[in-house]
């Protein structure tokens, strides 16, 4: 499905962005020159003899002369549950390279930065009492790996429920979402294996692929045609030097891309992987629980049978309000991972209360609590996401991603706007995430909105009032009225088709 935004900045914006970085770069080096040659000081001191520098020169320069100017816009601590509204802890203003200090105060802000898609991360009438009960019974932590005394009946129940929820034979859980990719992927690939990875896959996937020792090829982001071209060429050429056939080919994609808000073009990719006899690894960290009529993720959303996805990965840190992750697949695959994965054999198991939180959330989503709250949350999330996206387009924002996606990156392009927008939003009581270089390419700075089912229409309307002010103050109107109307009309036509 077509997205609603573009990554290409207007020419004037691109030139202004390069100019702002050039000014920072030149003045930063001039200050370093005077500090080193004229005033002396710490910069003139050489590294300890015989030791390598802790940071490389360019990294040190970027950190001192660029990052520290705006580091108050990142890593803001909170002192409340990540509900629709949160308490953001106040810190001292930026003062050179001095660390920011907590003042002891806090500010109440509308939370548009957390992955609390279904609202389970805060107090819940069904989940919270059950979590407290397991805490009393099984304690704070397992204090052991799963393979060495860390498995409780609740762990086994969770894995059974996850497999059943996704329509798979079995599942295995991991105590950390990032490690679910970085620790399990190396077990699926090795010498003689080809991994074909989306160009914008998450850092955890990149870490796992690097640790696999397999050959890696990258295809253009969410582009099935280029994926097929890469597969065709790789199969025709075979392994490097020997030209032998690949032992195994694995295609790795995400359900929702967290920095783009786009849904994977799963039906086309599944057709290609079948054509070329490849395996498909699907990361549903952001899509499971948030998409589909029953919250089962991008497969349910796009009408793809989960039997066509060989390895289904997801995390419990978003829609389920807990921690950890899972791998779901065939019984043979899961048994192999249990016997081989260091994250299962040596890392601490998920804490029993965290496990119970996921089990309880699954009960609510599937209606096992005797209510329709789960379905109501899923519908509320979708309605909130589409309402907010439509209003942002009408305001003139360039919003990336697809309809129904709760992740909405809003393009700023010029990185010089990051600190001003972030600080102004905080001043107006909006907690927002801003992302710039080096996390994104230089000209694709953005802020990111994450919508939750816990947001009321009043909450969203208040946020939109602030966004309407910001789009004028910061000259962020990159989407004209005709383009916005075309996207909205296409969405409305799709809705009518679905209802019919």
């Amino acid at each position: 499905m077509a997205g609603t935004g573009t990554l290409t900045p207007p020419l004037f914006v691109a030139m202004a962005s390069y100019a702002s970085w050039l000014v920072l770069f030149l003045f930063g080096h001039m200050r370093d020159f005077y500090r080193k040659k004229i005033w002396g000081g710490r910069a003139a001191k050489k590294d300890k003899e015989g030791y390598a520098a802790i940071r490389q020169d360019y990294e040190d320069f970027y950190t001192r002369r660029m990052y520290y100017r705006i580091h108050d816009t990142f890593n803001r601590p909170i002192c409340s549950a990540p509900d629709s509204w949160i308490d953001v802890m106040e810190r001292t203003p930026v003062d050179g390279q001095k660390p920011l200090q907590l003042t002891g105060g806090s500010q109440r802000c509308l939370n548009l930065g957390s992955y609390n898609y279904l609202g389970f991360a805060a107090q819940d009438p069904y989940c919270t009492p059950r979590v407290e009960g397991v805490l009393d019974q099984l304690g704070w932590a397992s204090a052991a790996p799963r393979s060495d005394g860390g498995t409780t009946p609740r762990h086994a129940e969770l894995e059974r429920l996850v497999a059943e929820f996704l329509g798979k034979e079995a599942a295995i859980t991991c105590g950390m979402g990032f490690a679910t990719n970085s620790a399990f992927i190396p077990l699926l690939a090795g010498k003689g294996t080809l991994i074909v990875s989306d160009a914008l896959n998450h850092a955890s996937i990149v870490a796992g692929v690097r640790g696999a020792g397999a050959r890696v090829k990258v295809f253009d982001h969410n582009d099935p045609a280029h994926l097929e071209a890469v597969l065709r060429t790789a199969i025709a050429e075979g392994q490097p030097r020997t030209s032998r056939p690949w032992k195994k080919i694995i295609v790795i994609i995400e359900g929702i891309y967290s920095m783009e808000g786009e849904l994977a073009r799963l039906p086309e990719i599944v057709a290609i992987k079948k054509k070329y006899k490849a395996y498909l690894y699907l990361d549903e960290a952001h899509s499971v629980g948030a998409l589909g009529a029953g919250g089962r993720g991008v497969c349910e959303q796009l009408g793809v049978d989960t039997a066509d996805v060989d390895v289904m990965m997801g995390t419990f840190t978003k829609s389920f309000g807990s921690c950890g992750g899972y791998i779901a697949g065939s019984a043979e695959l899961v048994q192999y991972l249990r016997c081989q994965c260091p994250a299962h054999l040596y890392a601490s198991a998920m804490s029993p209360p965290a496990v119970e939180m996921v089990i309880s959330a699954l009960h609510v989503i599937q209606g096992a609590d005797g209510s329709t709250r789960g379905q109501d949350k899923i519908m509320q999330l979708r309605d909130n996401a589409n309402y907010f996206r439509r209003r942002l387009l009408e305001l003139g924002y360039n919003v990336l991603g697809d309809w129904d996606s709760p992740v909405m990156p809003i393009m700023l392009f010029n990185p010089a706007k990051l600190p001003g927008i972030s600080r102004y939003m905080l001043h107006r009581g909006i907690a927002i995430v801003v992302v710039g270089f080096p996390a994104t390419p230089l000209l694709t700075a953005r802020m990111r909105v994450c919508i939750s089912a816990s947001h009321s229409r009043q909450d969203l309307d208040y946020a939109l009032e602030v966004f309407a002010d910001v789009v004028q103050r910061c000259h962020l109107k990159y989407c004209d009225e005709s383009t916005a109307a075309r996207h909205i009309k296409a969405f409305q036509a799709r809705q009518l088709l679905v209802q019919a």
Side-chain angles (χ1 to χ4, degrees), residues 183-500:
F184 282 93
I185 289 177
L187 297 173
L188 303 176
K191 189 175 181 181
T193 299
L194 173 66
I195 293 178
V196 185
S197 181
D198 188 285
L200 297 183
N201 273 339
H202 190 262
S204 61
I205 294 176
V206 175
V209 169
R210 285 176 176 170
R215 196 74 176 181
V216 184
K217 291 184 180 294
V218 176
F219 68 96
D220 293 343
H221 171 59
N222 217 11
D223 187 345
H226 190 240
L227 168 63
E228 183 170 16
V230 170
L231 284 172
R232 187 188 301 116
T233 302
I235 292 172
E237 294 177 350
Q239 298 186 43
R241 294 188 296 274
T242 65
S243 296
R244 292 177 180 174
W246 297 101
K247 296 179 180 178
K248 182 168 47 181
I249 299 176
I250 303 174
V251 177
I252 303 181
I253 60 173
E254 296 184 42
I256 293 179
Y257 291 86
S258 60
M259 280 298 166
E260 288 70 38
E262 295 176 349
L263 276 63
R265 297 175 63 180
L266 193 58
E268 298 98 315
I269 292 174
V270 165
I272 291 169
K273 82 100 180 177
K274 287 182 176 180
K275 180 179 179 180
Y276 293 95
K277 302 296 189 292
Y279 292 99
L280 180 60
Y281 183 107
L282 174 63
D283 178 338
E284 289 214 90
H286 289 269
S287 53
V288 68
L291 292 180
R296 289 175 173 82
V298 70
C299 290
E300 185 178 40
Q301 176 81 8
L302 301 179
V304 174
D305 190 344
T306 56
D308 293 330
V309 180
D310 303 284
V311 185
M312 300 187 72
M313 175 269 174
T315 63
F316 304 128
T317 56
K318 282 89 177 172
S319 295
F320 302 101
S322 185
C323 64
Y326 66 83
I327 295 285
S330 67
E332 292 81 6
L333 168 68
V334 170
Q335 183 59 30
Y336 165 72
L337 296 177
R338 290 190 196 282
C339 296
Q340 299 294 330
C341 184
H344 182 81
L345 297 172
Y346 307 115
S348 294
M350 286 179 64
S351 69
V355 171
E356 184 60 33
M357 180 63 226
V358 183
I359 292 174
S360 301
L362 280 169
H363 285 167
V364 175
I365 290 172
Q366 298 181 88
D369 64 332
S371 74
T372 62
R373 284 201 311 124
Q375 287 298 308
D376 294 342
K377 282 176 176 287
I378 294 169
M379 292 176 61
Q380 184 68 40
L381 174 63
R382 182 177 65 248
D383 291 345
N384 283 353
N386 290 333
Y387 172 75
F388 205 79
R389 181 180 295 274
R390 177 174 64 82
R391 291 290 306 277
L392 287 176
L393 290 172
E394 290 172 349
L395 289 173
Y397 281 102
N398 181 354
V399 188
L400 300 185
D402 290 311
W403 296 98
D404 296 347
S405 170
V407 182
M408 296 175 208
I410 302 169
M411 298 308 299
L412 309 179
F413 296 120
N414 192 330
K417 295 183 179 181
L418 287 177
I421 290 173
S422 177
R423 291 163 185 163
Y424 181 73
M425 286 284 195
L426 184 65
H427 172 70
R428 293 291 300 273
I430 304 289
I432 199 81
V433 172
V434 293
V435 188
F437 181 83
T440 64
L442 183 61
L443 294 184
T444 60
R446 64 198 71 178
M447 56 179 166
R448 185 180 63 182
V449 170
C450 290
I451 296 297
S452 171
S454 63
H455 288 135
S456 67
R457 186 57 56 91
Q458 183 179 3
D459 293 337
L460 300 181
D461 285 339
Y462 170 69
L464 288 165
E465 288 180 16
V466 180
F467 275 92
D469 186 17
V470 170
V471 75
Q472 300 297 333
R473 283 174 174 264
C474 301
H475 304 286
L476 296 177
K477 195 169 185 178
Y478 298 128
C479 179
D480 57 58
E481 293 180 2
S482 61
T483 302
R486 186 175 70 251
H487 286 307
I488 294 170
K489 187 175 180 180
F491 168 69
Q492 291 171 340
R494 193 196 75 175
Q495 292 296 93
L496 291 174
L497 183 62
V498 170
Q499 292 173 4

